[in-house]
Amino acid sequence: LLNYLWPLLIVVFAGFLPGVRIGALQWLGTLMGLAAAVLLVTGGRRLQVDPAYLAGYLAAITAAVLWAAYSVLNRRHAQVPSAAIAVACVAVALLGAIAHLGFERSVAPSPMQWAALLAMGIGPTGAAFLLWDTGTKRGDIALLGSLSYPAPLLSTVLLVLSGRAEPHPLQAVALALLLGGAWLSTRSRTAARGAL
């Protein structure tokens, strides 16, 4: 849940960009997305904070802040082609491999698993990074942040479809909040453009 604060933080940080104004409807839509994420992650139960996991909480908050800051600050590098993201992905993969070798027990993937990893990296994961880079450089960054809240919903749907989570009525409430929040956010931006 702490990591899923990044869409809200993108909207907050985008408000500091020159020429970006966040309207009341967009704030409301973003907060509705956050409420949906809370429902999905907690299942409607009270959030419990365990001091034993403080390092994990801090890591999750740090990840949210860094991803939001990167996404918003990426606008300053709009002249760099989005294809350059491949270099960053390779560098992160190498750092991940070094960390893995240094801190984790290594288990060699099977040839089929290597093929799946390669296909995911070239396909959906690579495409997602390329599209995100393009969106943060040339798109409406505040709207992009507002519309990012379906990530926890998609995670939940995948868990339900794979049999690792049970369907629950709160998921329908979260879906309604997400769709309503997305509609308000896009309506806010459409209304702002119409006023110009």
Side-chain angles (χ1 to χ4, degrees):
L1 179 58
L2 295 172
N3 192 15
Y4 279 131
L5 289 175
W6 63 263
L8 175 65
L9 292 174
I10 286 176
V11 175
V12 171
F13 294 166
F16 293 104
L17 288 174
V20 175
R21 188 180 149 295
I22 313 296
L25 288 178
Q26 190 159 14
W27 280 116
L28 180 59
T30 302
L31 291 174
M32 286 172 68
L34 178 61
V38 169
L39 276 178
L40 287 171
V41 171
T42 66
R45 293 180 299 276
R46 189 170 153 261
L47 190 63
Q48 296 183 5
V49 177
D50 187 343
Y53 301 116
L54 183 60
Y57 300 147
L58 291 174
I61 290 172
T62 301
V65 170
L66 288 176
W67 184 250
Y70 160 77
S71 297
V72 172
L73 292 173
N74 198 34
R75 178 64 56 104
R76 302 177 104 194
H77 304 287
Q79 74 283 2
V80 177
S82 289
I85 197 73
V87 175
C89 288
V90 168
V92 168
L94 289 174
L95 289 173
I98 291 167
H100 165 69
L101 293 173
F103 301 109
E104 297 176 328
R105 185 174 60 87
S106 190
V107 177
S110 69
M112 187 62 130
Q113 290 169 331
W114 275 117
L117 288 169
L118 186 61
M120 283 176 27
I122 293 172
T125 304
F129 275 109
L130 184 66
L131 292 171
W132 187 260
D133 187 73
T134 302
T136 57
K137 286 178 178 173
R138 294 171 186 80
D140 184 334
I141 188 71
L143 182 60
L144 189 62
S146 294
L147 297 178
S148 293
Y149 271 114
L153 176 67
L154 293 173
S155 300
T156 303
V157 168
L158 288 173
L159 288 172
V160 169
L161 291 176
S162 68
R164 296 184 183 267
E166 293 293 319
H168 193 278
L170 280 177
Q171 294 163 352
V173 174
L175 176 61
L177 281 169
L178 281 167
L179 293 175
W183 180 78
L184 284 175
S185 293
T186 56
R187 182 158 172 72
S188 170
R189 303 312 281 178
T190 303
R193 282 193 194 97
L196 295 176

